[in-house]
Every structure is written in structure tokens, then in C-alpha cells.
Amino acid sequence: MATTEECRSALKKLSDNLAQADDDSSARGAAALNRSLSCHIRDLDTTFVGRLQDGRIEVTDTLTGPPRDKAQIRLAMTGDDLVALVEGRLNFAKAWASGRVSLEAGFRDLLRLRTLL
């Protein structure tokens, strides 16, 4: 089982990947989003809260339990799945379709995010 620090590191790596995607014109629109974000790690019962802004994820707080406020982009998964997604060992579409990963956002945001995920 991934630790909280491993999950935090995975989110930082995801942020770095998003920053690199900003150079790709097909991903530029998604990387330019400015939205509140929460990532609930189910098995740790921990939520990382922050913003997706300027092509980066900035984690501003770590909370115990599910998210307290409804972020504009909401992710939920296990810590192992987060690490596997970021490392490229888990396909996002398959994980989402099977329910291993939950992503909730507005319709337009979902369309923009699909280029990154």
C-alpha cells in the first residue's frame, strides 16, 4: 500500500508531467485550466486539496477523510492506483471504466482533461 508521502510525490510528478504537456498543442487547453482540485486516496482516507493552475497541480492542504468542499475537479482512487497511473503502469481509461478511479468535473473540463489522462 502506497504511503501518504508516495502519493504526494506522485502528485508532484503528475504536476511535472502536466507542465511538460503544456508544450503539446493538443494538451495545452487542459494544462491551462484554472480549477480547484481534490484527490481522495480511499485506502489512506486522505484527501489532497489544491488547484490545477498554469499547467501545474499545487497541493495546498492534506486532510483526513473525504473532501470537505466540492472541488471543480474531483479524483478518488487508492494510493497504489495513483502511483501506478503516474508511472504509466495503469491505463486511466480502463481504470476509470472499471471504477478503480473516479473523476468528476464539469463536462467541458472532462473534455479538456481527456487529452492529459
Side-chain angles (χ1 to χ4, degrees):
M1 181 168 83
T3 66
T4 301
E5 283 309 311
E6 289 170 324
C7 292
R8 184 183 308 280
S9 293
L11 286 171
K12 182 179 179 337
K13 182 174 169 66
L14 179 59
S15 179
D16 293 343
N17 293 347
L18 291 174
Q20 291 174 356
D22 194 33
D23 296 333
D24 177 5
S25 62
S26 66
R28 191 171 296 132
L33 288 171
N34 181 1
R35 303 286 188 267
S36 58
L37 174 82
S38 67
C39 182
H40 183 234
I41 307 301
R42 295 177 183 138
D43 55 335
L44 298 175
D45 199 25
T46 299
T47 300
F48 295 95
V49 178
R51 291 201 71 77
L52 173 60
Q53 182 175 349
D54 298 325
R56 300 201 64 86
I57 295 171
E58 180 185 344
V59 175
T60 56
D61 205 358
T62 305
L63 310 170
T64 301
R68 295 182 185 130
D69 297 318
K70 185 175 178 182
Q72 293 166 305
I73 299 172
R74 299 167 303 282
L75 290 161
M77 66 196 80
T78 66
D80 288 342
D81 285 345
L82 173 62
V83 171
L85 279 170
V86 172
E87 291 178 351
R89 295 182 286 117
L90 180 63
N91 178 279
F92 177 81
K94 289 180 182 177
W96 179 66
S98 69
R100 287 175 67 177
V101 173
S102 171
L103 170 64
E104 297 178 42
F107 184 71
R108 283 187 178 172
D109 290 345
L110 287 172
L111 290 176
R112 291 171 110 182
L113 288 168
R114 71 186 170 116
T115 61
L116 295 175
L117 304 170

